[in-house]
């Protein structure tokens, strides 16, 4: 991480300079990837007003993979009303290499993340939309991987195995829907 004096805020850099910096970064990452034969993936964080630029960087550098974190995405959507997760997932779906899959529970003054994604969360407004995000991506990209980024010790082994089976069923049904008749 840059030292505090080396950092800058979003309002201290214009869009053209930010685009140039991003382009240099992605080009340098592509060069490193090719030189060392190591697949580079980048995990999203909050992108602010730079959503289109982020999407463009992945479109222009398809060899760099994107990591989508379902909890992080949900927190961004709740914290910033300009974030539209489904629209963003639609645009970025072809570039997703990995999904960090976990849910988040919102409480009055905080949120708890890295929770297992359980069926009872689906219709409960206290929880994020992790399952919905994963299902949406699975319909648009059949090549990404999933890492269960949850605290497995929060549920018993049988429930954990059912969570894994539910996720597998989601991918199987998405593949069947996209298969030619």
């Amino acid at each position: 991480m840059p030292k505090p004096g080396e950092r800058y805020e979003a309002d201290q850099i214009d869009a053209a300079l930010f685009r140039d910096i991003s382009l240099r970064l992605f080009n340098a990452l592509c060069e490193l990837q090719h030189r060392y034969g190591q697949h580079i993936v980048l995990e999203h964080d909050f992108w602010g007003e730079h959503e289109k630029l982020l999407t463009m960087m992945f479109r222009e550098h398809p060899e760099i993979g994107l990591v989508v974190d379902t909890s992080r995405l949900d927190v961004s959507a709740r914290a910033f009303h300009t974030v539209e997760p489904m629209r963003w997932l639609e645009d970025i779906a072809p570039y997703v290499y990995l999904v960090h899959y976990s849910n988040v529970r919102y409480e009055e003054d905080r949120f708890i993340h890295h929770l297992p994604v359980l069926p009872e969360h689906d219709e409960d407004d206290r929880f994020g939309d992790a399952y919905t995000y994963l299902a949406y991506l699975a319909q648009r990209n059949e090549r990404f991987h999933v890492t269960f980024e949850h605290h497995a010790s929060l549920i018993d082994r049988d429930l954990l195995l059912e969570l894994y089976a539910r996720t597998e069923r989601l991918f199987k049904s998405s593949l069947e829907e996209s298969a030619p008749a």
Side-chain angles (χ1 to χ4, degrees), residues 2 16 31 41 93 100 102 120 123 127 144 159 166-167 176 181:
E31 183 181 317
V41 296
H100 285 172
S102 66
E120 56 266 26
E123 302 300 324
F127 291 89
F144 68 88
L159 199 50
R166 180 182 189 222
T167 305
E176 289 168 3

Side-chain angles (χ1 to χ4, degrees), residues 137-150:
L137 273 174
Q139 293 172 351
R140 286 153 181 78
N141 176 345
E142 59 187 44
R143 298 176 316 274
F144 68 88
H145 307 271
V146 173
T147 296
F148 292 90
E149 193 178 54
H150 57 231

Side-chain angles (χ1 to χ4, degrees), residues 62-111:
E63 61 271 41
I64 302 290
L66 173 65
V67 180
V68 170
D69 184 303
T70 57
S71 285
R72 205 177 281 207
L73 179 59
D74 202 81
V75 169
S76 293
R78 291 217 187 182
F80 303 98
H81 299 291
T82 59
V83 174
E84 298 176 37
M86 302 315 241
R87 185 182 46 74
W88 182 69
L89 290 172
E90 178 75 32
D91 292 343
I92 208 77
Y95 318 110
V96 175
Y97 178 80
L98 177 67
V99 172
H100 285 172
Y101 188 48
S102 66
N103 218 346
V104 58
R105 183 177 70 231
Y106 298 94
E107 296 183 353
E108 189 174 315
D109 60 344
R110 67 186 180 125
F111 61 87

Side-chain angles (χ1 to χ4, degrees), residues 8-179:
Y8 52 84
E9 299 295 324
D11 62 353
Q12 295 174 305
I13 185 170
D14 67 25
L17 181 56
F18 186 72
R19 184 188 187 292
D20 291 344
I21 292 169
S22 298
L23 192 56
R24 285 197 316 266
L25 171 67
F26 271 75
N27 287 338
L29 291 174
C30 286
E31 183 181 317
L32 287 170
Q33 182 170 263
H34 293 299
R35 183 182 317 149
Y36 295 106
Q38 179 67 44
H39 190 185
I40 294 176
V41 296
L42 302 175
E43 184 170 355
H44 80 91
D45 204 341
F46 178 67
W47 55 83
E49 67 275 7
H50 302 292
E51 176 183 337
K52 286 184 168 101
L53 176 64
L54 176 72
T55 303
M56 183 181 69
M57 287 297 124
F58 284 99
R59 186 180 316 115
E60 291 180 4
H61 302 85
E63 61 271 41
I64 302 290
L66 173 65
V67 180
V68 170
D69 184 303
T70 57
S71 285
R72 205 177 281 207
L73 179 59
D74 202 81
V75 169
S76 293
R78 291 217 187 182
F80 303 98
H81 299 291
T82 59
V83 174
E84 298 176 37
M86 302 315 241
R87 185 182 46 74
W88 182 69
L89 290 172
E90 178 75 32
D91 292 343
I92 208 77
Y95 318 110
V96 175
Y97 178 80
L98 177 67
V99 172
H100 285 172
Y101 188 48
S102 66
N103 218 346
V104 58
R105 183 177 70 231
Y106 298 94
E107 296 183 353
E108 189 174 315
D109 60 344
R110 67 186 180 125
F111 61 87
I112 301 166
H113 57 94
H114 294 145
L115 300 175
V117 182
L118 302 175
E120 56 266 26
H121 297 171
D122 294 351
E123 302 300 324
D124 189 332
D125 289 340
R126 294 173 301 160
F127 291 89
D129 294 324
Y131 184 80
T132 301
Y133 300 148
L134 189 67
Y136 195 79
L137 273 174
Q139 293 172 351
R140 286 153 181 78
N141 176 345
E142 59 187 44
R143 298 176 316 274
F144 68 88
H145 307 271
V146 173
T147 296
F148 292 90
E149 193 178 54
H150 57 231
H151 298 295
S153 61
L154 294 174
I155 58 177
D156 68 39
R157 180 172 164 65
D158 290 338
L159 199 50
L160 188 63
L161 292 174
E162 177 50 37
L163 181 157
Y164 297 150
R166 180 182 189 222
T167 305
E168 181 181 25
R169 286 190 303 272
L170 170 70
F171 285 107
K172 284 182 178 179
S173 69
S174 292
L175 286 173
E176 289 168 3
E177 289 174 15
S178 66

